[in-house]
Amino acid sequence: MAKVLVIAEHLDGQLNASTARTVSAAQALSPEAIDVAVLASEPDAVAAEAARIAGVSRVLTVANAANAHPVAQMLAPQVARLADGYSHVFLPSTTFGKDLAPCVAALLGVAQVSDLMAVESAHVFKRPIYAGNAVVTVEAPVDQAVVATIRTASWPEAAQGDAAPVEAASIEVELPTHTRFIGLAQAKSDRPDLQGAKRVVSGGRGVGSKENFEIIYKLADRLGAAVGASRAAVDAGYVPNELQVGQTGKIIAPELYVAIGISGAIQHLTGIKDAGTIVAINKDPDAAIFEIADIGLVGDLFALLPELEAAL
């Protein structure tokens, strides 16, 4: 019977929604138990949030000053020690999970399964390849622990349930001395986080300039949405690269995705395949974005967006 350990992602004392999506993937295994591990300097607040996720059997907290920042080289030895007795270790396929999972897999001496999007059985999974244009079935060895990152865009957030018990885990492990946290350079914004937002407004090359991108920010603020961009807009210097959506950017699954001035290159479409409702505004009626859009509007964005804002 499967027993799953989910590694919680959190920042500034708040649990990331990717954790609830990872729990959904764990539930697909119909496991004996799903435990969530919270590694932090002060894990209690995050642990209380994790305990309310439906399907969680218990929450394990690991309090250590070295866990104040999510540095994979510090967290991995602790996770590897915690993993003893578990058949599966699941992490979200976010920047956090992609950084940490390979280190954990290496310490456990197993191969990692990446971007798990469907569960066929306890050791058989589906994952996308070729920018999401094909799906491959992979089988992990049955005699080893499975360390996997979960494609969070493919899984819904697990519901809220009764609070699971929270237990402090005691881990004795030697942490490396060759890695130190120096600082975090992070853009500050009052808008929702792009990777977890329920609404996203993105701009592309058609917006024309960094100055013109203000029209995207204004619409996003009207909708209470996060802001994204195509790779073309990032490469042109309109916005910083942390806003890039697509194969080489962020893979997202908002309830509403508004693509403005985006042609719909396959690299970009890969990042929004699991979005709920896709709205596209583009002056080119043959733009590829219209092939996947639920709602498409052909026209000049600089004329249409002021009208849309006025209506809102």
Side-chain angles (χ1 to χ4, degrees), residues 166-177:
V166 178
E167 301 177 14
S170 179
I171 297 178
E172 291 186 12
V173 61
E174 186 176 348
L175 298 181
T177 58

Side-chain angles (χ1 to χ4, degrees), residues 6-7 9 15-28 34 53-54 56 90-94 116-117 149-160 194-199 251-255 274-276:
V6 172
I7 309 304
E9 178 178 6
L15 190 69
N16 192 292
S18 64
T19 304
R21 292 178 182 269
T22 305
V23 169
S24 284
Q27 289 173 337
I34 300 174
I53 301 175
V56 172
F90 280 1
L91 302 92
S93 189
T94 56
L116 187 156
M117 64 182 296
T149 57
I150 306 304
R151 186 181 176 90
T152 53
S154 299
W155 300 90
E157 288 184 38
Q160 295 287 291
L194 175 58
Q195 201 140 29
K198 296 187 183 299
R199 294 181 291 275
I251 308 295
I252 59 175
E255 295 173 2
D274 296 298

Side-chain angles (χ1 to χ4, degrees), residues 26-40:
Q27 289 173 337
L29 291 167
S30 300
E32 173 188 343
I34 300 174
D35 293 347
V36 176
V38 178
L39 292 86

Side-chain angles (χ1 to χ4, degrees), residues 255-310:
E255 295 173 2
L256 172 66
Y257 186 75
V258 184
I260 301 171
I262 295 175
S263 62
I266 188 62
Q267 192 277 144
H268 188 77
L269 301 186
T270 297
I272 59 170
K273 281 182 179 291
D274 296 298
T277 299
I278 298 175
V279 178
I281 299 176
N282 199 296
K283 67 180 180 181
D284 179 6
D286 297 321
I289 192 72
F290 289 126
E291 295 179 12
I292 67 161
D294 299 286
I295 301 169
L297 185 57
V298 178
D300 183 351
L301 67 91
F302 297 106
L304 293 174
L305 289 194
E307 293 183 28
L308 183 56
E309 278 192 58

Side-chain angles (χ1 to χ4, degrees), residues 122-145:
H123 292 84
V124 180
F125 314 100
K126 291 187 180 295
R127 64 177 299 268
I129 58 173
Y130 299 130
N133 288 301
V135 175
V136 65
T137 300
V138 295
E139 183 172 356
V142 297
D143 59 344
Q144 297 178 351

Side-chain angles (χ1 to χ4, degrees), residues 82-104:
L82 271 179
D84 186 35
Y86 289 91
S87 60
H88 297 71
V89 180
F90 280 1
L91 302 92
S93 189
T94 56
T95 303
F96 165 79
K98 290 177 180 178
D99 187 34
L100 178 55
C103 299
V104 174

Side-chain angles (χ1 to χ4, degrees), residues 207-231:
V207 177
S209 69
K210 181 177 182 179
E211 291 70 28
N212 288 346
F213 220 86
E214 284 300 319
I215 199 168
I216 305 297
Y217 290 122
K218 287 176 64 179
L219 179 60
D221 290 342
R222 285 276 190 177
L223 295 173
V227 173
S230 68
R231 178 170 178 169

